[in-house]
Amino acid sequence: MTVLADAADAAGFLGAGSTGSGIIARYGDWLPVAKDARVITLGEGNTPLVPADTLSDRLGCRVWLKVEGANPTGSFKDRGMTVAVTVAAHEGATAVVCASTGNTSASAAAYAARGGLLPIVLLPAGRIAAGKLAQAVVHGARVVQVEGNFDTCLELARKLADDYPVSLVNSVNRIRLEGQKTAAFEVVDTLGDAPDVHVMPVGNGGNLPAYWRGYVQYADAGKTTRRPRMWGFQAAGAAPLVLGHPVLNPETKATAIRVGNPASTALALAAREESGGLFEAVPDEQILAAQQFLAAKEGVFVEPASAVGVAGLLAKAERKELDHDLRIVITVTGHGLKDIDTALSGHDVGGGPVVPAELTAIADVCGLS
């Protein structure tokens, strides 16, 4: 049994083969997109799978980073959005709506603009990183700030889609999760097999079961010899899947996963059980330390939420709960430029010391003399 509804499998499929730009062109045979649909794409997918050498040494494992911040709008959301917006447009929608803490709004606005649809974005008032809000605004979204948290926004977005000619493109739209599963395909296509463990942040809960579906489908097709354990990590102040109940007022600096009542809870729990995986939580200070570690040691700049999986693995290694020699892939979900205020907190951003225009002075201040 797989954890995503199989209704999408009955839809028409685009037999696009394995070439072309974007995930529908590459993986159309695996996606619920009608053959005659006008594909709305920005060339998403095919993101780097970067060997994390320093982290591998720290953990005693072989570790790769699936760098989803390399997608067109800077996050993993683009994989699902190309499919969701393509299907919405094909079915006659003229507008799309999403609730968002940032990345979904940026992606929905970009793909809707690309497809000639009106993007409507419901945001928790004053609770979004400026970089993400800027993306939604410049793409022409109708942005509405709602008094409440993400869960309030999602409830209203659902009702808007029910009562008006608008297509909901949050991850509760299972078509969107179909697009997100293609990251698992890419991991296998690059490594030649599935990893032992796949690690990722968990906010609204849809991405983890989407990856699991991808791995299951590839395994069923004989493209892998194993299925990975799915490990999801949450911020300690927003950890409903770890606690086993909704969190009324979630709090974390990792804004992309500041969700107290995940819409895809059932799917995420099923993926954990089927894969033999786990959910754990880590505090903000460890998340921000992991963000700095990735930037300084691996050259990969991610937003805070993207560092949660790394923080979780480092914590498990510290507690001696991590077996050596595992093959681990970590999805880092969004680019660090999404939230520069958090990244720069605690750093001197004055531009560095001012020195005379002399070579020796520069060498001295850089510790080279």
Side-chain angles (χ1 to χ4, degrees), residues 177-264:
L177 298 189
E178 290 289 317
Q180 290 169 209
K181 75 185 180 186
T182 60
F185 296 165
E186 291 180 8
V187 169
V188 174
D189 291 344
T190 301
L191 294 182
D193 207 340
D196 300 306
V197 176
H198 196 114
V199 175
M200 64 179 59
V202 177
N204 211 30
N207 208 27
L208 187 142
Y211 272 74
W212 176 239
R213 180 170 176 80
Y215 283 124
V216 167
Q217 287 186 337
Y218 253 28
D220 288 348
K223 291 178 173 289
T224 70
T225 65
R226 66 173 73 89
R227 302 177 185 184
R229 287 172 281 165
M230 304 299 297
W231 289 4
F233 290 91
Q234 298 192 288
L241 295 179
V242 178
L243 297 172
H245 58 77
V247 176
L248 185 60
N249 295 303
E251 279 297 337
T252 174
K253 292 182 179 179
T255 58
I257 55 172
R258 188 193 284 150
V259 179
N261 189 19
S264 297

Side-chain angles (χ1 to χ4, degrees), residues 69 73-75 101-103 106 126-135 251-258 284 287-288 291-292 295 300-308 333-347 349:
T73 75
S75 86
T101 54
N103 284 326
R127 306 278 283 178
I128 180 173
K132 302 172 187 179
L133 179 57
Q135 288 180 280
E251 279 297 337
T252 174
K253 292 182 179 179
T255 58
I257 55 172
R258 188 193 284 150
D284 276 8
I287 295 170
L288 297 180
Q291 180 190 32
Q292 293 294 323
V300 177
F301 182 28
V302 302
E303 65 175 314
S306 293
V308 173
T333 46
H335 199 285
L337 291 176
K338 295 276 189 172
D339 184 2
I340 60 171
D341 290 338
T342 301
L344 292 176
S345 61
H347 290 267
V349 293

